[in-house]
């Protein structure tokens, strides 16, 4: 009742099956092993750290309207919010400023730790690194933050970057200093 | 994406893709045979690939050490038969699952199987695709080689672009000391838990099918498994060297089936990448709403004239989508002939599940079920009109050509019909009632040629198979219809088959002339 639409010679059909299957498998292997990326000639400077110091209370006087809108037992003359200090990060390599960023503490109340995580691809070789992480005395709106100022952190030194390697500059807040990791090349025994 | 306008139909891009798929279908059918054409079984084949990946993965996980992930994989890699090759089979079957799932999505899209009753399958399919890619991501990270490090760090950057985490996810990859067994435990947990979740999604994906095809035909199963095993032996994937968080990851090669998203990293920022991939996935999930046809272009669902239903269950058994229920007959006076209370259940169509395939039209002996205008009785009227036309034909043999709209393009359908060959187009060959064919043969037509999709390629799953069984008397109501097999020519057809169909038509005409010659019996049932 029906006519199949296939080559009538069996060996030809099997040859076609094998050929097509081989072609599909070749495509599968090729996409599964697609060349991607080359070993970079540059090195990478990675900055990382976490800061929780500098918790302060930012207070302001309540307005008469605010006081009037509250029940008597909830009326406070001052409204205070705890927050962390903002910081300014400056990174200069060989005298060139690579970053000058203000780091605000995350969270609605700006009370979450600040995480620093930055990478700079640089030419392999020796460089002069100047790194400053200073507390900022003002909040996001430019209002001065009162309270004890937390410490700032600074690192000035020569670094050597190797091709395809990462030099990690890690802030150890407890010890109050930067640590440097990965100065040795991958070939160093 | 505009809704389909009934005047214009699917847009040009969809038509182009559909044409490409048709040609691929035809090419693969020629090579593998229509029954074992892998493109007709993309869904079951994807499940089969996943099953192979699960079985090999269960074996591999026994050798995986959370405290030394790379070293344990490297040890496996050093064992040729029970390590490297099994790992290769795990990898290649996972790759195959992505390829087949993608082809399945494209196929379902261009065939319009994405909205209405099929929306649930589309949405669960979108979730399955996302879960599959996530499982793959965790799998590559598990190895903790250069590729694993690359996608772990890049993935963390994507996550950190979302304003969700107060502590950056990428912080964990800043220095080697921060990555430990707990990270690999969570990763392994996800790698095992997500496939379990996928099992539930697969159940949801196929819940609306009466007879879901979980596995492909055996030939295809063993052929694909054999091919992947050979590939695993011939070209097993290597290891890119242990991940080094104080090194710039440069694996040399990546698996683009799973890690295609890395390509965007060279062009756009992590935030835009995240927006791109999430946006594409959401667009995929929104396809059932965005691309549904205009109400005027939708085919109406089946209905039943319960007064005349004889409760034979055939439509209930035949419906591929579980859309027909047997319910107690309506009480007297409500849709019931006076004084004739039925003593059996009658069919009832759950319209929200009905895709209007019309298969039930051909199931029903009394011809009282089917989409409006396509029931057996409607077909009977059309057959009567054809028979009337045939009576006025001088040309002999007089042939009716019944053409499935899904099998051939409009131009091909037109080329097969003409003044001497009376054409009749149906939405799915599964709706052709055998009594209609018998009627045509008994009322002036010398033969009936039917061009239908190959059974494995039927867009309504079982239409072509049922047609063949009904016309050959192996399925009711075909047994009652007693169609003369010598005067019916059933051709499995795909777009591009016009020359072959024309040749088949010529051969059929010759056969009918021989049947009409005085030396041979005129009609009969051998």
């Amino acid at each position: 009742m029906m006519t199949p639409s296939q080559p009538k010679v069996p060996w030809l059909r099997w040859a076609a099956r094998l050929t097509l299957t081989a072609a599909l498998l070749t495509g599968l292997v090729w996409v599964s092993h697609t060349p991607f990326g080359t070993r970079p000639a540059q090195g990478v400077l990675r900055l990382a750290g976490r800061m929780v110091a500098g918790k302060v209370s930012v207070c302001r006087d309540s307005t008469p309207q605010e006081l009037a809108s509250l029940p008597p037992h909830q009326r406070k003359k001052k409204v205070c919010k705890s927050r962390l200090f903002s910081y300014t990060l400056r990174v200069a390599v060989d005298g060139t400023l690579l970053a000058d960023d203000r780091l605000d503490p995350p969270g609605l109340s700006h009370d979450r730790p600040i995480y620093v995580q930055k990478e700079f691809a640089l030419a392999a070789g020796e460089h002069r690194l100047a790194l400053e992480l200073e507390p900022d005395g003002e909040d996001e709106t430019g209002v001065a933050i009162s309270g004890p100022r937390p410490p700032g952190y600074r690192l000035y030194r020569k670094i050597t970057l190797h091709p395809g390697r990462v030099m990690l500059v890690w802030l150890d807040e407890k010890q109050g200093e930067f640590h440097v990791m990965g100065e040795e090349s991958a070939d160093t025994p | 994406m505009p809704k389909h306008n009934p005047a214009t139909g699917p847009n040009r891009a969809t038509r182009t893709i559909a044409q490409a798929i048709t040609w691929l279908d035809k090419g693969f059918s020629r090579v593998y045979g229509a029954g074992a054409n892998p493109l007709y079984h993309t869904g079951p084949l994807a499940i089969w690939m996943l099953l192979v990946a699960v079985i090999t993965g269960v074996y591999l996980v026994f050798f995986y050490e959370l405290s030394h992930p790379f070293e344990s994989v490297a040890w496996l890699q050093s064992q040729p038969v029970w390590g490297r090759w099994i790992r290769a089979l795990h990898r290649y079957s996972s790759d195959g699952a992505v390829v087949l799932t993608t082809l399945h999505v494209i196929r379902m899209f261009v065939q319009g199987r994405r909205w209405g009753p099929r929306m649930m399958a589309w949405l669960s399919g979108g979730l399955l695709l996302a879960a599959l890619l996530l499982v793959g991501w965790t799998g590559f990270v598990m190895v903790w080689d250069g590729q694993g490090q690359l996608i772990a760090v890049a993935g963390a950057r994507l996550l950190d672009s979302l304003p969700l985490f107060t502590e950056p996810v990428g912080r964990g990859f800043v220095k080697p000391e921060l990555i430990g067994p707990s990270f690999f435990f969570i990763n392994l947990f996800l790698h095992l838990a997500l496939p379990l979740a996928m099992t539930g999604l697969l159940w949801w994906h196929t819940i609306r099918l009466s007879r879901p095809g979980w596995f492909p035909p055996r030939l295809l199963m063993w052929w694909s498994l054999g091919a992947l095993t050979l590939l695993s032996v011939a070209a097993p994937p290597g290891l890119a060297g242990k991940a080094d968080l104080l090194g710039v990851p440069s694996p040399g090669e990546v698996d683009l089936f799973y890690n295609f998203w890395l390509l965007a990293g060279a062009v756009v920022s992590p935030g835009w990448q995240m927006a791109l991939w999430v946006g594409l996935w959401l667009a995929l999930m929104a396809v059932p709403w965005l691309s549904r046809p205009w109400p005027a272009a939708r085919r109406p669902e089946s209905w039943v004239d319960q007064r005349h239903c004889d409760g034979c269950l055939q439509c209930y058994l035949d419906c591929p989508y579980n859309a027909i229920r047997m319910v107690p007959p309506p009480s007297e006076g409500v849709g019931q002939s006076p004084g004739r209370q039925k003593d059996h259940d009658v069919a009832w169509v759950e319209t929200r599940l009905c895709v209007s395939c019309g298969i039930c039209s051909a199931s029903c002996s009394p011809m009282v079920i089917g989409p409006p205008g396509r029931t057996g009785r409607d077909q009977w009227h059309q057959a009567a009109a054809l028979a009337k036309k045939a009576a006025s034909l001088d040309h002999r043999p007089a042939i009716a050509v019944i053409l499935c709209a899904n099998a051939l393009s409009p131009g091909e359908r037109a080329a097969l019909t003409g003044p001497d060959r009376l054409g009749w187009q149906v939405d799915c060959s599964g709706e052709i009632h055998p009594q209609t064919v018998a009627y045509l043969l008994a009322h002036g037509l010398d033969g009936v040629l039917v061009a239908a999709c190959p059974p494995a390629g039927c867009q309504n799953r079982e239409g072509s198979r049922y047609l063949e069984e009904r016309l050959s008397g192996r399925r009711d109501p075909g047994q009652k219809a007693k169609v003369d097999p010598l005067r019916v020519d059933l051709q499995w057809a795909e777009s591009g088959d016009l020359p072959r169909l024309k040749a088949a038509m010529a051969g059929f005409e010759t056969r009918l002339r021989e049947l009409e010659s005085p030396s041979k019996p005129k009609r009969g049932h051998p």
Side-chain angles (χ1 to χ4, degrees), chain B residues 299 402-410 412-413 424-429 451-453 459:
Chain B
R299 292 181 303 182
I402 305 181
L403 300 157
C404 173
N406 298 318
L408 300 167
S409 67
E412 289 169 322
R413 292 198 293 269
W424 180 1
Q425 183 186 307
V426 291
D427 285 3
C428 173
S429 62
C453 303
Q459 292 194 18

Side-chain angles (χ1 to χ4, degrees), chain A residues 119-136:
Chain A
E119 287 192 352
F120 305 96
L122 300 169
E126 208 171 76
H127 298 279
R128 280 181 295 115
L129 171 68
L131 178 58
E132 294 171 354
L133 193 55
E134 298 289 350
D136 201 319

